[in-house]
Amino acid sequence: MTLPIQTITDRKLAILELAAHKAMELPILPSGFWFHSDLRDNFYYAIHLYAFTVNPTFAQAWSKEQQEAGHALAVEMIGKVLALQEQNAEHPMYGHWPLNLGSDPAAAKPHPLPVELMGCLLIFFYNKYQSTLPIELKSNAMIAILHMYESNVYRHPLDKVNHHEAKHTALKLLLGHQFDNSELSDQGLQFARQQLQHIQKFGFKEYGALPWHWHWIQAFVCVWEVIEDAAVRETMSQLLDQLWRLRADVYLAGTWVGAHSRQWPHDAPKDNNTLLDYIQFGDFPLPREITRLEGAALYTYQTADQLVQAAIKRDTPIEIQRKIQFAEANNQVTEEAHTYTYIAPEYAVGGIWERRDEFDNEQQRWVVTLPLTEATTAEGVNQLFFFHPGNKYASGDDRHASPYGEVLLHKDAVIQLWKLPEGDLDAYPSVIGCLPKGEWKFDGNSGYGRFEGLYVSFHLMNPFTIEEKPDRISIASPFQSGKNGVLVEVISNREALLLGINNVEAFATAMQTKAATPFTTVESADPDSVAIHALYTTHRNDELSMSVDGLGVFERTINGQPVQLELYRIS
């Protein structure tokens, strides 16, 4: 087992070295870029390669020839990225860069996204390394920053209070500081304070959206790193503390547990977007791959040790019941949602009660998460869940659920029931399951798995098929008369031993006795009659009951009592 790297400085250097090595290994395309799919990745790898080659810590890490070649490549790549900025002040996209470079980077059209975070990082990078930059690159970087300042790339009102506006706010502060524009700086500070107050009052509506959450953090870290003004520093510290607190609340050994409003393939079914977590928390193996680099290893900001210690030392299980109110800058609440997360030292189970049609239909309703240990990272995915595929779903990509189905979440148990509307003839015909690799026993409509530190059982209403894949086990369970359901329960090794369970066979025997018939179905012409009923007693002797009628109306109780969402709080 690899010993953990103890200090945040050493972990940051480890990621910097990883990024620099990856940059030198990347094939250079005929255009001279590494990537055409996303211009920003060229910049992110190049600034890490540059930082590595000028860092005295690594003076002896490479030969002199390698060091010089890496430095030259970084300088050239940064210059090539800067050269693609639209610098014609008459152009409607003045100040912007292209996103996808297509087959001809010189002809690629500007796009509004790259400047948001890349612009913040460019200003941060310039201020951090200007004393070492070659004259031409230093001049070109300053010219690009000036064009950003003179353009409209950051001139947006505070309206939606989302990740885009967080980055625009950071640009206001950074550019106001860079060009001594007190009016712009004051507006940026006012917007930042409003965003902080909005999160504190209404909650964080971009819940579990890793790319966006990290963009909030990195944009304001850039401001914290560059600007020394006391009022700005205080507001940035408060914002970053709030954002890292939200992150730490749902942290378990490198994973982001519970519900997600956005999921990229590097977020599910395996937690791979982990560089910032590794640097700050450091209680899981050093990442071997880079899925999103951005500014990861360049910041000096360090989150509060109190937050870190609370996140990495989870000695006893905790429940987090959180309310989110969806409001814009006008503070008018249009909707509410409620997230539930149960985090034990060995695993986490969490989700969101409400189905929401989030961006790109990437909501993950619920998930069982295994921590990123040497074993789980070696064997494949670390998330277990079932879902009914919907809009944007593609076979093999376990994301994009349908709007159907409701959930019951209680500690380490989840029930989800589906009753498809009769009119939806295009509905996907099966529920899909994603299981991490482990020691599995399948029997009838059930499965029993053993992993490092825990056991998991699932029971489906209908039969299922199994497909072994290199990194996971995939389950498909067809609907019958438009109905299906799943029940999942997790138990730690510690708790299992107290019940006399010490292997997967004993676990299966115990769970088969408990869950002999968890689902009952009724065929009736009366739409108000119960169509599906799930009744289950957990290993903690909590009784979970959930039913859906012919119209798709759900009822759910825990120990005979309705779920009390009114008790959930913003913080």
Side-chain angles (χ1 to χ4, degrees), residues 65-268:
E65 292 75 15
Q66 286 177 307
Q67 200 86 2
E68 290 176 350
H71 186 269
L73 177 58
V75 168
E76 180 184 7
M77 193 66 71
I78 295 168
K80 289 180 71 66
V81 170
L82 296 178
L84 291 185
Q85 184 188 36
E86 178 53 69
Q87 297 185 347
N88 175 8
E90 303 302 315
H91 195 285
M93 293 296 286
Y94 173 49
H96 284 285
W97 279 268
L99 179 62
N100 187 301
L101 301 184
S103 58
D104 180 8
K109 295 181 179 179
H111 191 282
L113 286 184
V115 76
E116 291 184 349
L117 183 62
M118 195 176 81
C120 295
L121 276 164
L122 173 58
I123 299 168
F124 162 62
F125 176 76
Y126 177 84
N127 280 272
K128 187 178 180 74
Y129 293 104
Q130 59 179 313
S131 64
T132 69
L133 291 174
I135 295 297
E136 184 179 3
L137 179 59
K138 182 178 179 180
S139 174
N140 288 339
M142 191 64 243
I143 290 170
I145 294 169
L146 177 62
H147 283 298
M148 288 165 53
Y149 175 65
E150 293 183 339
S151 74
N152 292 322
V153 299
Y154 57 90
R155 300 181 194 277
H156 300 275
L158 194 60
D159 180 23
K160 304 296 183 184
V161 193
N162 59 19
H163 61 289
H164 297 298
E165 292 170 8
K167 290 173 281 188
H168 296 151
T169 297
L171 284 172
K172 287 179 169 71
L173 286 161
L174 289 164
L175 291 166
H177 168 79
Q178 193 76 43
F179 296 100
D180 200 24
N181 183 331
S182 59
E183 183 179 351
L184 182 58
S185 294
D186 289 345
Q187 185 189 57
L189 183 56
Q190 176 197 338
F191 279 18
R193 287 170 172 164
Q194 283 182 252
Q195 286 162 319
L196 172 62
Q197 292 164 1
H198 193 278
I199 296 169
Q200 292 171 332
K201 183 175 182 179
F202 300 109
F204 196 69
K205 59 188 175 183
E206 294 178 329
Y207 59 92
L210 277 67
W212 293 349
H213 196 106
W214 291 136
H215 282 195
W216 276 82
I217 285 176
Q218 291 183 85
F220 291 128
V221 164
C222 286
V223 177
W224 184 91
E225 298 272 0
V226 170
I227 301 176
E228 296 181 357
D229 176 82
V232 173
R233 264 297 182 97
E234 180 183 6
T235 300
M236 291 304 103
S237 294
Q238 291 173 338
L239 260 167
L240 290 168
D241 183 71
Q242 181 76 29
L243 292 165
W244 272 108
R245 189 177 301 278
L246 289 167
R247 168 65 196 111
D249 281 350
V250 290
Y251 177 85
L252 178 66
T255 69
W256 195 303
V257 307
H260 297 261
S261 59
R262 279 221 73 185
Q263 271 193 322
W264 278 41
H266 55 51
D267 303 324

Side-chain angles (χ1 to χ4, degrees), residues 321 323 336 338 562-570:
Q321 300 173 328
K323 177 170 70 174
E336 286 189 352
H338 305 80
V563 177
Q564 296 180 300
L565 297 181
E566 66 275 10
L567 300 181
Y568 283 42
R569 296 289 178 261
I570 297 292

Side-chain angles (χ1 to χ4, degrees), residues 514-532:
K514 280 169 31 60
T517 54
F519 302 105
T520 56
T521 61
V522 177
E523 298 295 340
S524 171
D526 181 4
D528 292 325
S529 67
V530 171
I532 314 171

Side-chain angles (χ1 to χ4, degrees), residues 302-321:
Q302 185 169 350
T303 193
D305 187 61
Q306 179 185 3
L307 289 183
V308 172
Q309 295 305 314
I312 68 176
K313 294 181 179 177
R314 296 196 183 277
D315 300 326
T316 57
I318 61 167
E319 287 180 281
I320 301 173
Q321 300 173 328

